[in-house]
Amino acid sequence: MRAIAVVLAGGTSRRFGTDKLAARLAGVSLLERAIADIPEEWPVVVVGPERPLSRPAVFTREIPAGAGPAAALVAGARVAALRCTGCMVSVPGDVPAGGQAARQLVSALADSDVDACVGVDEHGVEQPLQLAVRGAALTRLAETDPASVVGASARSLLVGLDALQVRLPPRWTLDIDTPDQIALWSKL
């Protein structure tokens, strides 16, 4: 299945203290780590400020910049809907194994007849920022009024969406919010 990866990278890193996406994990920035396992043939859209990357990417921002994860997901869906002929998969920029999760979500979507697959962590909690969508679900996200999701939870975008839950390994859902979590992720 053809896919476009939307990397959510516009957060403020308040709990981390510095730009967490620039933090090094085994010598590689957290953002580079998050996109490392995204297949090369998938175009990448980064929702966040422009920064150098090891692969080509289109950059866009949520409206207004810093409006939160739901707004970032909508901004990415708008770009993806214009550029994609298959599906969109979202990858949180602070999840080092996000690219692996993205591949699993797209595979599950390709093997199903639903328009959405959402990642689920080891505790059974949906991870709305790890989402693969196509068809009507992608159109719905792309057509969401940006003003309606400013400061909203990304979970609110799943309401009314018939999404297949896809269980993901703990390492694929662990996001980095504090410097201590870098050490924790390295031990998984």
Side-chain angles (χ1 to χ4, degrees):
M1 174 177 281
R2 292 187 46 81
I4 185 167
V6 171
V7 182
L8 308 171
T12 60
S13 304
R14 281 189 303 266
R15 288 178 280 178
F16 198 85
T18 61
D19 178 9
K20 68 180 173 182
L21 297 182
R24 306 307 260 184
L25 185 60
V28 178
S29 77
L30 185 53
L31 182 57
E32 287 285 351
R33 181 68 91 161
I35 67 170
D37 292 314
I38 295 172
E40 286 296 319
E41 64 272 14
W42 293 3
V44 171
V45 175
V46 177
V47 183
E50 286 195 38
R51 55 177 82 217
L53 289 176
S54 61
R55 65 184 287 174
V58 172
F59 287 84
T60 190
R61 290 304 309 251
E62 62 276 32
I63 302 170
L73 199 53
V74 167
R78 287 175 172 244
V79 174
L82 294 173
R83 295 174 173 258
C84 129
T85 59
C87 75
M88 177 197 93
V89 63
S90 59
V91 178
D94 61 355
V95 175
Q100 292 174 334
R103 289 194 333 254
Q104 179 66 32
L105 290 168
V106 169
S107 178
L109 190 62
D111 291 342
S112 73
D113 60 356
V114 299
D115 279 344
C117 289
V118 63
V120 176
D121 69 15
E122 66 183 312
H123 305 290
V125 177
E126 287 183 332
Q127 301 299 307
L129 299 181
Q130 292 183 300
L131 179 70
V133 294
R134 65 178 166 199
L138 178 55
T139 300
R140 179 180 147 205
L141 274 179
E143 292 177 349
T144 300
D145 177 10
S148 73
V149 292
V150 172
S153 162
R155 196 167 308 288
S156 68
L157 296 173
L158 298 181
V159 174
L161 190 64
D162 183 25
L164 174 68
Q165 293 185 335
V166 178
R167 178 88 48 174
L168 299 172
R171 188 175 176 92
W172 292 5
T173 60
L174 180 65
D175 64 330
I176 305 295
D177 289 323
T178 66
D180 291 342
Q181 288 174 320
I182 287 180
L184 174 64
W185 190 86
S186 298
K187 293 178 185 176
L188 290 178

